[in-house]
């Protein structure tokens, strides 16, 4: 059975089996489901008396069929999954969804790869953040428990009559309340995963100044990379890291914070991220293969390679400044000190200008080495 035939028979058989089992009527339709990081053919199942249904991935169901799973078993398991999903779907108020003043209080922000999601980003409001994009969701569910979310689209904004700028401003205010930020030392994270409360029991009670890695996410660890867009995230992360830091996109659910203390090479960090993405992280959970950097002094978030370029440029300017100072010292050693007369002062200003031009024309002197001496990571 080919995929198209499989999908159509699946739709008919799931509808029949579900209605016979529950003695209720359902709408069962096929459509293309577009989500961040993945697009797939979906089977959407919705009770006739409800406006909210659930979608199941038919691509994965067909794979199971191709791998040898019995077709009747696939129908049975699909019906069971549909029942469970429908029973646990969010208790959502459609009328409230039409009221932006209410919905904005549920706004959350997520960060995704701009390149991998280029097609869907054309349809949703977003804000670029280097090679990533900030998107917005309404989080819905029971009181105190997130059970689902709705991606905000351009069409929704048109219906609400608000601008992308207003949406972003409201998200900056509400997202930290909807999904509170958490920054933990790696020792804390490992201890929690092992169910150990006392870090000393694992030998992980590391003093803050010696911590080499932090994990940043949100409470519940769902789409936690969105904390990168929070207004105060960079400052709070810099406080934990003790200054500037590198950001490794572990996944769309969390990012790693590495203090920029001169112990890490950018190229090595980039290789680490690429290897982990290629071997460990599910493609639908991947963020990007790049490493980012936050300069706590200059308040600049940027790609790691841009940071290195910027530091090298600073080195060039410092060298030029040093050459200018040397020329001025030579100039003053010549005893050419300005007098009180305007003509003398004009002559001095001419020589100062000439010294500046001379410094600007001189070639760069071993910039990478000077940058490395200051603890700036290199690219090799």
């Amino acid at each position: 059975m080919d995929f198209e035939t499989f999908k159509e028979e699946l739709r008919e058989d799931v509808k029949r089996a579900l209605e016979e089992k529950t003695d209720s009527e359902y709408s069962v339709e096929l459509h293309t489901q577009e989500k961040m990081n993945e697009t797939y053919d979906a089977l959407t199942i919705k009770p006739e008396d409800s406006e909210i249904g659930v979608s199941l991935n038919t691509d994965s169901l067909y794979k199971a069929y191709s791998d040898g799973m019995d077709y009747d078993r696939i129908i049975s398991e699909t019906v069971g999954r549909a029942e469970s999903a429908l029973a646990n779907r969010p208790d959502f108020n459609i009328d409230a969804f039409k009221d932006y003043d209410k919905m904005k209080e549920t706004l959350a922000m997520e960060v995704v790869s701009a390149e991998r999601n280029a097609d869907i980003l054309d349809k949703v409001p977003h804000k670029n953040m280097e090679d990533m994009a900030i998107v917005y969701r309404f989080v819905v569910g029971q009181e105190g428990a997130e059970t689902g979310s709705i991606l905000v689209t351009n069409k929704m904004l048109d219906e609400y009559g608000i601008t992308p700028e207003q949406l972003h401003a409201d998200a900056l205010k509400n997202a930290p309340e909807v999904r509170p930020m958490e920054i933990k030392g790696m020792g804390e994270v490992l201890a929690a995963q092992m169910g150990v409360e006392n870090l000393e029991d694992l030998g992980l009670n590391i003093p803050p100044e010696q911590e080499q890695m932090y994990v940043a996410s949100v409470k519940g660890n769902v789409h936690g990379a969105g904390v990168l867009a929070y207004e105060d995230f960079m400052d709070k992360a810099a406080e934990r890291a003790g200054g500037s830091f590198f950001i490794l996109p572990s996944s769309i659910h969390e990012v790693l914070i590495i203090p920029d203390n001169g112990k890490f090479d950018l190229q090595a960090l980039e290789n680490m991220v690429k290897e982990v993405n290629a071997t460990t992280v599910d493609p639908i959970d991947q963020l990007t293969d790049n490493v980012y950097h936050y300069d706590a002094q200059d308040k600049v978030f940027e790609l790691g390679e841009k940071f290195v370029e910027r530091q090298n440029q600073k080195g060039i300017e410092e060298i030029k400044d040093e050459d200018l100072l040397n020329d001025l010292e030579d100039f003053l050693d010549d005893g050419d000190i300005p007098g009180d007369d305007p003509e003398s002062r004009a002559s001095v200003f001419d020589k100062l200008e000439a010294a500046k031009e001379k410094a600007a024309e001189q070639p760069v002197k071993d910039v990478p080495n000077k940058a490395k001496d200051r603890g700036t990571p290199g690219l090799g």
Side-chain angles (χ1 to χ4, degrees), residues 31-35 38-44 55-56 120:
H31 75 284
T32 299
Q33 181 78 23
E34 289 187 310
K35 299 179 70 174
E38 68 171 336
T39 299
Y40 57 86
D41 288 286
L43 190 71
T44 299
S55 292
L56 302 179
I120 194 170

Side-chain angles (χ1 to χ4, degrees), residues 105-137:
E105 296 179 0
T106 71
L107 273 173
M109 293 189 287
E110 297 177 3
V111 173
V112 299
S113 165
E115 180 180 2
R116 293 185 62 185
N117 297 283
D119 290 341
I120 194 170
L121 288 177
D122 286 338
K123 306 171 187 176
V124 304
H126 63 278
K127 190 176 181 66
N128 292 329
M129 190 175 187
E130 287 292 0
D131 61 339
M132 299 179 288
I134 304 167
V135 297
Y136 311 88
R137 287 184 180 274

Side-chain angles (χ1 to χ4, degrees), residues 175-362:
E177 298 295 327
V178 175
R179 290 177 176 168
M181 172 175 57
E182 294 183 341
I183 302 177
K184 299 179 179 180
M186 183 57 76
E188 296 177 72
V189 175
L190 293 175
Q193 291 177 348
M194 299 176 69
V196 178
E197 295 183 3
N198 190 345
L199 295 180
E200 292 182 355
D201 293 343
L202 295 177
L204 297 174
N205 192 22
I206 304 171
E209 65 275 8
Q210 296 180 20
E211 185 65 72
Q212 297 297 307
M213 187 179 297
Y214 299 87
V215 179
S217 186
V218 297
K219 188 174 182 179
N221 203 43
V222 176
H223 292 283
V227 297
L228 290 173
Y230 287 14
E231 210 163 18
D232 60 348
F233 170 74
M234 299 299 172
D235 288 338
K236 287 188 175 180
E239 183 178 347
R240 289 297 305 269
S244 300
F245 54 88
F246 293 99
I247 299 170
L248 278 60
S250 176
S251 75
I252 59 174
H253 301 298
E254 72 279 308
V255 296
L256 302 182
I257 303 300
I258 309 290
D260 180 9
N261 52 18
K263 297 181 180 180
F264 298 94
D265 175 77
L266 176 62
Q267 188 65 62
L269 294 177
E270 288 179 338
N271 291 340
M272 184 193 309
V273 171
K274 291 175 182 177
E275 181 181 356
V276 170
N277 277 340
T279 61
T280 306
V281 183
D282 191 304
I284 66 172
D285 289 330
Q286 291 177 14
L287 188 46
T288 76
D289 283 339
N290 293 314
V291 172
Y292 307 85
H293 185 274
Y294 180 69
D295 187 326
Q297 181 176 354
D298 293 342
K299 305 290 185 181
V300 176
F301 168 81
E302 59 198 338
L303 282 161
E305 59 188 30
K306 288 186 179 180
F307 165 69
V308 172
E309 291 173 3
R310 190 165 58 85
Q311 293 304 101
N312 285 343
Q313 185 59 39
K314 283 185 177 181
I316 293 172
E317 297 302 325
E318 288 178 8
I319 289 172
K320 289 182 177 179
D321 290 343
E322 290 174 5
D323 289 339
L324 174 59
L325 288 174
N326 290 335
D327 286 340
L328 289 176
E329 288 176 359
D330 293 341
F331 168 76
L332 294 176
D333 287 343
D334 290 340
D336 197 355
I337 307 299
D340 292 334
D341 60 292
E343 185 176 343
S344 174
R345 288 196 295 274
S347 176
V348 171
F349 295 149
D350 289 341
K351 291 185 178 182
L352 284 172
E353 190 63 34
K356 290 181 181 179
E357 293 176 0
K358 180 180 177 182
E361 293 172 356
Q362 293 183 359

